[in-house]
Amino acid sequence: MDVDLIFKIAGLGILVAIIHTLLDKFGKEEYAYIVTLVGLVFAFGMVVNLVSKLFDNLKILFRL
């Protein structure tokens, strides 16, 4: 497993948490939730890309 991906997702989570907190303190709750949602979608995109590579490797391994 690629350790860099874990650090990227953790960094993204920290960044999104800071932005969410700042926007929440300034009274922009709707923007804070949008930032959180976008961060979640971006993290899922990175994970889906990794799962896609896994399935490609399985196809090559079993010659499907």
Side-chain angles (χ1 to χ4, degrees), residues 2-63:
D2 199 10
V3 179
D4 292 338
L5 181 69
I6 294 172
F7 287 133
K8 285 179 186 177
I9 292 175
L12 177 67
I14 291 169
L15 182 67
V16 166
I18 290 170
I19 294 172
H20 179 87
T21 303
L22 287 174
L23 287 172
D24 201 25
K25 295 254 185 198
F26 289 131
K28 304 289 184 182
E29 291 87 10
E30 55 276 352
Y31 293 122
Y33 291 120
I34 290 172
V35 166
T36 304
L37 185 63
V38 168
L40 185 65
V41 167
F42 192 68
F44 278 151
M46 289 191 289
V47 171
V48 165
N49 188 21
L50 186 66
V51 170
S52 172
K53 288 179 185 177
L54 171 69
F55 284 142
D56 287 340
N57 287 338
L58 287 175
K59 280 174 48 178
I60 291 170
L61 180 67
F62 292 115
R63 299 181 194 139

